[in-house]
Amino acid sequence: MREDDSNWFPRWEEELPPPEELMPLSQTLITPDLAMAFDIRDPHHHQIPQPPPPSSNPLPSPSNPTQPNSADFADSAELGSGTAGDEPARTLKRPRLVWTPQLHKRFVDAVAHLGIKNAVPKTIMQLMSVDGLTRENVASHLQKYRLYLKRMQGLSSGAGAGGGAAAAALAASSDPATDHLFASAPVPAHFLHPTARPNSDHFLPFVPVPATLQHHHHHHHQQHMAAAAVAAAHPQLQPQYHRQVGHFGSPPNGSFEHPFLSRQPQALHRMGGAPMQHNPVSGYVEDMESANAAGGRKIQSTMVSIL
DNA sequence: GGTCTAATAT
DNA sequence: CATATTAGAC
């Protein structure tokens, strides 16, 4: 009963955030109005450029991840009044969310560390901590992602060589163009291997649970929720920072939960905000592994034991 | 009631 | 085709 749904949140932090990049997603979602206001680009030419693609190394230099000084802009605080007469977001429809490789990477990381079992839209969304990202966004993407995984399962039996990405390239056999985004993010082997449980079993100091999310009772086989708390405990993943924090110095000991948490950009709220992204193909791959699968597919030379 | 998933629509 | 939206089930 608790063999796998209670010991997943153990020290995920130790292995979750790959040092590669912790929070390059700061500017993940930008409202069109905001973008316009900032002169980023014309809404008509929906070809939003990438703000931080300096030269070739999108890799962030989070010398200090603890301080998410989102070099970008997207300050939730004043988004509401940035543009004139567009506050009512609830009734406005957001532009389509563009899943950039970075965003997807975040998604995959969240899913990977949550485990397929616990990877449900809400939890994933919370773990991703991307402001503006809605549960629907994640749900939709998750659906597609699942199909992708399933597809690959049928074609890759034991090709566990460090990466579904490789398998993807093989399975796809039709260029990464078929997998687009998915090829850009390494698929954890366990995803295709329900039998294995890479989830480390360690402990997290304490897991604060958002009071607003503390409601769950009946259910037999689904997920439990609590991961969000983990994310909250680690602002490293927070692309956006909030200034209104209670400032708490919680000792890393037997604390079970904290009554308050603030991770969602309430300041940003669902205002006319709309998730806007940069070009999905422009600043593609940022990882070398993904680069392999996405750009040059020359990895399929060795593995042939697929039957 | 909320949320998840599948299906369907844009 | 990628994402959004809806509908049904839990």
Side-chain angles (χ1 to χ4, degrees), chain A residues 80-146:
Chain A
S81 46
T83 36
D86 52 348
E87 157 74 7
R90 308 170 172 184
T91 46
L92 287 181
K93 292 167 75 169
R94 311 175 172 222
R96 288 166 67 98
L97 171 68
V98 178
W99 284 89
T100 65
Q102 283 83 2
L103 194 52
H104 177 68
K105 177 81 190 311
R106 189 104 160 187
F107 169 85
V108 173
D109 276 350
V111 175
H113 289 100
L114 280 173
I116 302 292
K117 308 154 197 169
N118 298 306
V120 287
K122 188 181 181 182
T123 311
I124 297 172
M125 176 193 66
Q126 293 179 159
L127 235 180
M128 289 177 71
S129 266
V130 175
D131 88 76
L133 187 67
T134 68
R135 189 164 54 83
E136 323 296 323
N137 290 134
V138 176
S140 187
H141 191 67
L142 179 60
Q143 182 174 27
K144 201 178 62 170
Y145 187 62
R146 278 171 175 162

Coordinates of all heavy atoms in Angstrom, one line a residue, chain A residues 80-146:
Chain A
G80 N -0.7 43.0 -14.1 CA -2.1 43.4 -14.2 C -2.3 44.8 -14.8 O -3.3 45.0 -15.5
S81 N -1.4 45.6 -14.5 CA -1.7 47.0 -15.0 C -0.7 47.4 -16.1 O -0.6 48.6 -16.4 CB -1.5 48.0 -13.8 OG -0.3 47.6 -13.1
G82 N -0.1 46.5 -16.5 CA 0.9 46.7 -17.6 C 0.2 47.3 -18.8 O 0.6 48.4 -19.3
T83 N -0.8 46.7 -19.2 CA -1.5 47.2 -20.4 C -2.8 47.7 -20.0 O -3.4 47.4 -19.0 CB -1.7 46.0 -21.4 OG1 -1.9 44.8 -20.7 CG2 -0.4 45.9 -22.2
A84 N -3.3 48.6 -20.8 CA -4.5 49.2 -20.5 C -5.8 48.4 -20.9 O -5.8 48.0 -22.0 CB -4.6 50.6 -21.2
G85 N -6.7 48.3 -20.0 CA -7.9 47.6 -20.4 C -7.8 46.2 -20.9 O -8.2 45.8 -21.9
D86 N -7.2 45.4 -20.0 CA -7.1 44.0 -20.4 C -7.0 43.1 -19.2 O -6.3 42.1 -19.2 CB -6.0 43.8 -21.4 CG -4.7 44.3 -20.8 OD1 -4.9 45.0 -19.8 OD2 -3.7 44.0 -21.3
E87 N -7.5 43.6 -18.2 CA -7.3 42.9 -16.9 C -8.2 41.7 -16.9 O -7.7 40.6 -16.4 CB -7.7 43.9 -15.8 CG -8.1 43.2 -14.6 CD -6.9 42.6 -13.9 OE1 -5.8 42.9 -14.4 OE2 -7.1 41.9 -12.9
P88 N -9.4 41.7 -17.3 CA -10.3 40.6 -17.2 C -9.8 39.4 -17.9 O -9.9 39.2 -19.1 CB -11.6 41.0 -17.8 CG -11.2 42.2 -18.7 CD -10.0 42.8 -18.1
A89 N -9.1 38.6 -17.2 CA -8.5 37.5 -17.9 C -9.4 36.3 -17.9 O -9.3 35.4 -18.7 CB -7.2 37.1 -17.1
R90 N -10.2 36.2 -16.9 CA -11.0 35.0 -16.8 C -11.9 34.8 -18.0 O -12.1 33.7 -18.4 CB -11.9 35.2 -15.6 CG -11.1 35.6 -14.4 CD -12.0 36.0 -13.3 NE -11.2 36.2 -12.0 CZ -11.8 36.5 -10.9 NH1 -13.1 36.7 -10.9 NH2 -11.1 36.7 -9.8
T91 N -12.3 35.8 -18.6 CA -13.2 35.7 -19.7 C -12.4 35.7 -21.0 O -12.9 35.2 -22.0 CB -14.2 36.8 -19.7 OG1 -13.5 38.0 -19.5 CG2 -15.2 36.6 -18.6
L92 N -11.2 36.1 -20.9 CA -10.4 36.1 -22.1 C -9.7 34.8 -22.4 O -9.3 34.1 -21.4 CB -9.3 37.2 -22.0 CG -10.0 38.6 -22.2 CD1 -8.9 39.6 -22.1 CD2 -10.8 38.7 -23.5
K93 N -9.6 34.5 -23.6 CA -8.9 33.2 -23.8 C -7.5 33.4 -24.1 O -7.0 34.3 -24.8 CB -9.6 32.6 -25.1 CG -11.0 32.2 -24.8 CD -11.8 31.9 -26.0 CE -11.3 30.5 -26.6 NZ -12.2 30.1 -27.6
R94 N -6.7 32.5 -23.5 CA -5.3 32.7 -23.6 C -4.9 32.1 -25.0 O -5.5 31.2 -25.5 CB -4.6 31.9 -22.6 CG -5.1 32.1 -21.2 CD -4.4 31.2 -20.3 NE -4.7 31.5 -18.9 CZ -3.8 31.5 -17.9 NH1 -2.5 31.2 -18.3 NH2 -4.1 31.7 -16.7
P95 N -3.9 32.6 -25.5 CA -3.3 32.1 -26.7 C -2.8 30.7 -26.5 O -2.5 30.3 -25.3 CB -2.1 33.0 -27.0 CG -2.2 34.2 -26.0 CD -3.3 33.9 -25.0
R96 N -2.6 30.0 -27.5 CA -2.1 28.6 -27.3 C -0.8 28.6 -26.7 O 0.1 29.3 -27.0 CB -2.0 28.0 -28.7 CG -3.4 27.7 -29.3 CD -3.2 27.4 -30.8 NE -2.4 26.1 -30.9 CZ -3.0 25.0 -31.2 NH1 -4.3 24.9 -31.3 NH2 -2.3 23.9 -31.4
L97 N -0.7 27.7 -25.8 CA 0.6 27.5 -25.1 C 1.5 26.8 -26.0 O 1.2 25.8 -26.6 CB 0.4 26.7 -23.8 CG 1.7 26.3 -23.1 CD1 2.4 27.5 -22.6 CD2 1.4 25.3 -22.1
V98 N 2.7 27.3 -26.1 CA 3.7 26.7 -26.9 C 4.7 25.9 -26.0 O 5.3 26.5 -25.2 CB 4.5 27.7 -27.7 CG1 5.6 27.0 -28.6 CG2 3.5 28.5 -28.6
W99 N 4.7 24.7 -26.2 CA 5.6 23.8 -25.4 C 7.0 23.8 -26.0 O 7.3 23.1 -26.9 CB 5.1 22.4 -25.3 CG 3.9 22.3 -24.4 CD1 2.6 22.5 -24.7 CD2 4.0 22.0 -23.0 NE1 1.8 22.3 -23.6 CE2 2.7 22.0 -22.5 CE3 5.0 21.8 -22.1 CZ2 2.3 21.8 -21.2 CZ3 4.7 21.5 -20.8 CH2 3.4 21.5 -20.3
T100 N 7.8 24.7 -25.5 CA 9.2 24.7 -25.9 C 9.9 23.5 -25.3 O 9.5 23.0 -24.3 CB 9.8 26.0 -25.5 OG1 9.9 26.0 -24.1 CG2 9.0 27.2 -25.9
P101 N 11.0 23.2 -25.9 CA 11.9 22.2 -25.3 C 12.2 22.4 -23.9 O 12.2 21.4 -23.1 CB 13.1 22.2 -26.2 CG 12.7 22.8 -27.5 CD 11.5 23.7 -27.1
Q102 N 12.4 23.6 -23.5 CA 12.7 23.9 -22.1 C 11.5 23.6 -21.2 O 11.7 23.0 -20.2 CB 13.1 25.3 -22.0 CG 14.5 25.6 -22.4 CD 14.6 25.8 -23.9 OE1 13.5 25.8 -24.6 NE2 15.7 26.0 -24.5
L103 N 10.4 24.0 -21.7 CA 9.2 23.8 -20.9 C 8.9 22.3 -20.8 O 8.6 21.8 -19.8 CB 8.1 24.5 -21.6 CG 6.8 24.7 -20.7 CD1 7.1 25.3 -19.4 CD2 5.8 25.5 -21.4
H104 N 9.1 21.7 -21.9 CA 8.8 20.2 -22.0 C 9.8 19.5 -21.1 O 9.5 18.5 -20.4 CB 8.9 19.7 -23.4 CG 8.8 18.3 -23.5 ND1 7.6 17.6 -23.2 CD2 9.6 17.3 -23.8 CE1 7.7 16.3 -23.4 NE2 8.9 16.1 -23.7
K105 N 11.0 20.0 -21.1 CA 12.1 19.4 -20.3 C 11.6 19.4 -18.8 O 11.7 18.5 -18.1 CB 13.4 20.1 -20.4 CG 14.5 19.6 -19.6 CD 15.1 18.4 -20.2 CE 16.1 17.7 -19.2 NZ 17.0 18.6 -18.6
R106 N 11.1 20.6 -18.5 CA 10.7 20.7 -17.1 C 9.5 19.7 -16.8 O 9.5 19.2 -15.8 CB 10.1 22.2 -17.0 CG 9.8 22.5 -15.6 CD 10.9 23.4 -15.1 NE 10.4 24.1 -13.9 CZ 11.1 25.1 -13.3 NH1 12.3 25.4 -13.8 NH2 10.6 25.7 -12.3
F107 N 8.7 19.6 -17.8 CA 7.6 18.7 -17.7 C 8.1 17.3 -17.5 O 7.6 16.6 -16.6 CB 6.8 18.8 -19.0 CG 5.7 17.8 -19.1 CD1 4.5 17.9 -18.5 CD2 6.0 16.6 -19.8 CE1 3.5 16.9 -18.6 CE2 5.0 15.6 -20.0 CZ 3.8 15.8 -19.4
V108 N 9.0 16.9 -18.3 CA 9.5 15.5 -18.2 C 10.2 15.3 -16.9 O 10.0 14.3 -16.3 CB 10.5 15.2 -19.4 CG1 11.1 13.9 -19.2 CG2 9.7 15.3 -20.7
D109 N 10.9 16.3 -16.5 CA 11.6 16.2 -15.2 C 10.6 16.0 -14.1 O 10.8 15.1 -13.2 CB 12.5 17.4 -14.9 CG 13.8 17.3 -15.6 OD1 14.1 16.2 -16.1 OD2 14.5 18.3 -15.7
A110 N 9.6 16.7 -14.1 CA 8.6 16.6 -13.1 C 8.0 15.3 -13.1 O 7.8 14.6 -12.1 CB 7.5 17.7 -13.3
V111 N 7.6 14.8 -14.3 CA 7.0 13.5 -14.4 C 7.9 12.4 -14.0 O 7.6 11.5 -13.3 CB 6.5 13.3 -15.8 CG1 6.0 11.9 -16.0 CG2 5.5 14.3 -16.2
A112 N 9.2 12.6 -14.4 CA 10.1 11.6 -14.1 C 10.4 11.4 -12.6 O 10.5 10.3 -12.1 CB 11.4 11.9 -14.8
H113 N 10.4 12.5 -11.9 CA 10.7 12.4 -10.5 C 9.5 12.2 -9.7 O 9.6 11.8 -8.5 CB 11.4 13.7 -10.1 CG 12.8 13.7 -10.7 ND1 13.1 14.5 -11.8 CD2 13.9 13.1 -10.3 CE1 14.4 14.3 -12.0 NE2 14.9 13.5 -11.2
L114 N 8.4 12.4 -10.3 CA 7.1 12.1 -9.6 C 6.8 10.6 -9.7 O 6.2 10.0 -8.9 CB 6.0 12.9 -10.1 CG 6.0 14.4 -9.6 CD1 4.9 15.1 -10.4 CD2 5.7 14.4 -8.1
G115 N 7.2 10.1 -10.8 CA 6.9 8.7 -11.1 C 5.6 8.7 -11.9 O 4.7 9.6 -11.7
I116 N 5.5 7.8 -12.8 CA 4.3 7.8 -13.7 C 3.0 7.7 -12.8 O 2.0 8.3 -13.2 CB 4.4 6.6 -14.6 CG1 5.6 6.7 -15.4 CG2 3.2 6.5 -15.5 CD1 5.6 7.8 -16.4
K117 N 3.2 7.0 -11.8 CA 2.0 6.8 -11.0 C 1.5 8.1 -10.4 O 0.3 8.4 -10.3 CB 2.3 5.8 -9.9 CG 2.9 4.6 -10.4 CD 3.7 3.9 -9.3 CE 4.7 2.9 -9.9 NZ 5.7 2.5 -8.9
N118 N 2.4 8.9 -9.9 CA 2.0 10.1 -9.3 C 1.9 11.3 -10.2 O 1.6 12.4 -9.8 CB 2.9 10.4 -8.1 CG 2.9 9.3 -7.1 OD1 1.8 8.9 -6.6 ND2 4.0 8.7 -6.8
A119 N 2.3 11.0 -11.4 CA 2.4 12.1 -12.3 C 1.0 12.4 -12.9 O 0.5 11.9 -13.9 CB 3.3 11.8 -13.5
V120 N 0.3 13.3 -12.2 CA -1.0 13.7 -12.7 C -0.9 15.2 -13.0 O -0.1 15.9 -12.4 CB -2.1 13.4 -11.7 CG1 -2.3 11.9 -11.7 CG2 -1.7 13.9 -10.3
P121 N -1.8 15.7 -13.8 CA -1.7 17.1 -14.2 C -1.5 18.1 -13.1 O -0.6 18.9 -13.1 CB -3.1 17.3 -14.8 CG -3.4 16.0 -15.4 CD -2.8 15.0 -14.4
K122 N -2.3 18.0 -12.1 CA -2.2 18.9 -11.0 C -0.8 18.9 -10.3 O -0.2 20.0 -10.1 CB -3.3 18.7 -10.0 CG -3.3 19.8 -8.9 CD -4.4 19.5 -7.9 CE -4.5 20.6 -6.9 NZ -5.5 20.3 -5.9
T123 N -0.4 17.7 -10.0 CA 0.9 17.6 -9.4 C 2.0 18.1 -10.3 O 2.9 18.8 -9.8 CB 1.1 16.1 -9.0 OG1 0.0 15.7 -8.3 CG2 2.3 16.0 -8.1
I124 N 1.9 17.7 -11.5 CA 3.0 18.1 -12.4 C 3.0 19.6 -12.5 O 4.1 20.2 -12.5 CB 2.7 17.5 -13.8 CG1 2.8 15.9 -13.7 CG2 3.7 18.0 -14.8 CD1 2.3 15.3 -15.0
M125 N 1.9 20.1 -12.7 CA 1.8 21.6 -12.8 C 2.4 22.3 -11.6 O 3.2 23.2 -11.7 CB 0.3 22.0 -12.9 CG 0.1 23.5 -13.0 SD -1.6 24.0 -12.7 CE -1.8 23.5 -11.0
Q126 N 2.1 21.8 -10.5 CA 2.7 22.4 -9.3 C 4.2 22.2 -9.2 O 4.9 23.1 -8.8 CB 2.0 21.8 -8.0 CG 0.5 22.1 -8.0 CD -0.2 21.5 -6.8 OE1 -1.2 22.0 -6.4 NE2 0.4 20.5 -6.3
L127 N 4.6 21.1 -9.6 CA 6.0 20.8 -9.5 C 6.8 21.7 -10.5 O 7.9 22.2 -10.2 CB 6.3 19.4 -9.8 CG 7.1 18.7 -8.7 CD1 7.3 17.2 -9.1 CD2 8.4 19.4 -8.5
M128 N 6.1 21.9 -11.6 CA 6.8 22.7 -12.6 C 6.9 24.2 -12.1 O 7.8 24.9 -12.5 CB 6.0 22.6 -13.9 CG 6.2 21.3 -14.6 SD 5.2 21.1 -16.1 CE 6.1 22.2 -17.1
S129 N 5.9 24.5 -11.4 CA 5.9 25.9 -10.9 C 6.1 26.9 -12.0 O 6.8 27.9 -11.8 CB 7.0 26.0 -9.9 OG 6.5 25.8 -8.6
V130 N 5.5 26.7 -13.1 CA 5.6 27.7 -14.1 C 4.3 28.6 -14.1 O 3.2 28.1 -14.2 CB 5.6 27.0 -15.5 CG1 5.6 28.1 -16.6 CG2 6.9 26.2 -15.6
D131 N 4.6 29.8 -13.8 CA 3.4 30.7 -13.7 C 2.7 30.8 -15.0 O 3.3 30.8 -16.0 CB 3.8 32.0 -13.2 CG 4.1 32.9 -14.3 OD1 3.2 33.4 -15.0 OD2 5.3 33.1 -14.6
G132 N 1.4 30.8 -14.9 CA 0.6 30.9 -16.1 C 0.2 29.6 -16.7 O -0.7 29.4 -17.4
L133 N 1.0 28.6 -16.3 CA 0.7 27.3 -16.8 C -0.5 26.7 -16.0 O -0.6 26.7 -14.8 CB 1.9 26.4 -16.5 CG 1.8 25.0 -17.1 CD1 1.8 25.1 -18.7 CD2 3.0 24.2 -16.7
T134 N -1.5 26.2 -16.8 CA -2.7 25.7 -16.1 C -2.7 24.2 -16.1 O -1.9 23.6 -16.8 CB -3.9 26.2 -16.8 OG1 -4.0 25.6 -18.1 CG2 -3.9 27.8 -17.0
R135 N -3.6 23.7 -15.3 CA -3.7 22.3 -15.2 C -4.1 21.7 -16.6 O -3.8 20.6 -17.0 CB -4.7 22.0 -14.2 CG -4.8 20.5 -13.8 CD -5.6 20.3 -12.5 NE -6.9 20.9 -12.5 CZ -7.9 20.4 -13.0 NH1 -7.8 19.2 -13.6 NH2 -9.1 21.0 -13.0
E136 N -5.0 22.5 -17.2 CA -5.4 22.0 -18.5 C -4.3 21.9 -19.5 O -4.2 21.0 -20.3 CB -6.5 23.0 -19.1 CG -7.4 23.6 -18.1 CD -8.2 22.5 -17.4 OE1 -8.7 21.6 -18.1 OE2 -8.5 22.6 -16.2
N137 N -3.4 22.9 -19.4 CA -2.2 22.8 -20.3 C -1.5 21.5 -20.1 O -1.1 20.8 -21.0 CB -1.3 24.0 -20.0 CG -1.9 25.3 -20.4 OD1 -1.9 26.3 -19.7 ND2 -2.5 25.3 -21.6
V138 N -1.2 21.3 -18.8 CA -0.4 20.1 -18.5 C -1.2 18.8 -18.8 O -0.6 17.9 -19.4 CB -0.1 20.1 -17.0 CG1 0.6 18.8 -16.6 CG2 0.7 21.3 -16.6
A139 N -2.4 18.8 -18.6 CA -3.2 17.7 -18.8 C -3.2 17.3 -20.3 O -3.0 16.2 -20.7 CB -4.7 17.9 -18.4
S140 N -3.4 18.3 -21.1 CA -3.3 18.1 -22.5 C -2.0 17.6 -23.0 O -1.9 16.7 -23.8 CB -3.7 19.4 -23.2 OG -3.8 19.2 -24.6
H141 N -1.0 18.2 -22.5 CA 0.3 17.8 -22.9 C 0.6 16.4 -22.3 O 1.3 15.6 -23.0 CB 1.4 18.8 -22.3 CG 2.7 18.6 -22.9 ND1 3.0 18.8 -24.2 CD2 3.9 18.2 -22.3 CE1 4.3 18.6 -24.4 NE2 4.9 18.2 -23.3
L142 N 0.2 16.1 -21.2 CA 0.4 14.8 -20.6 C -0.2 13.7 -21.4 O 0.3 12.7 -21.6 CB -0.1 14.8 -19.2 CG 0.0 13.5 -18.4 CD1 1.4 13.1 -18.3 CD2 -0.7 13.6 -17.1
Q143 N -1.4 14.1 -21.9 CA -2.1 13.1 -22.7 C -1.2 12.7 -24.0 O -1.0 11.6 -24.3 CB -3.4 13.7 -23.2 CG -4.2 12.7 -24.0 CD -5.6 13.3 -24.3 OE1 -5.8 14.5 -24.4 NE2 -6.5 12.4 -24.5
K144 N -0.7 13.7 -24.6 CA 0.1 13.5 -25.8 C 1.4 12.8 -25.4 O 1.8 11.9 -26.1 CB 0.4 14.9 -26.4 CG 0.8 14.7 -27.9 CD 1.1 16.1 -28.5 CE 2.2 16.7 -27.8 NZ 2.7 17.9 -28.5
Y145 N 1.9 13.2 -24.3 CA 3.1 12.5 -23.9 C 2.9 11.1 -23.6 O 3.8 10.2 -23.9 CB 3.6 13.3 -22.6 CG 5.0 12.8 -22.2 CD1 6.1 13.0 -23.0 CD2 5.2 12.2 -20.9 CE1 7.3 12.6 -22.6 CE2 6.4 11.8 -20.5 CZ 7.5 12.0 -21.4 OH 8.8 11.6 -21.0
R146 N 1.8 10.7 -23.0 CA 1.5 9.3 -22.7 C 1.4 8.5 -24.0 O 1.9 7.4 -24.1 CB 0.2 9.2 -21.9 CG 0.4 9.5 -20.5 CD -0.9 9.6 -19.7 NE -0.7 9.7 -18.3 CZ -1.6 10.1 -17.5 NH1 -2.8 10.5 -17.9 NH2 -1.3 10.2 -16.2

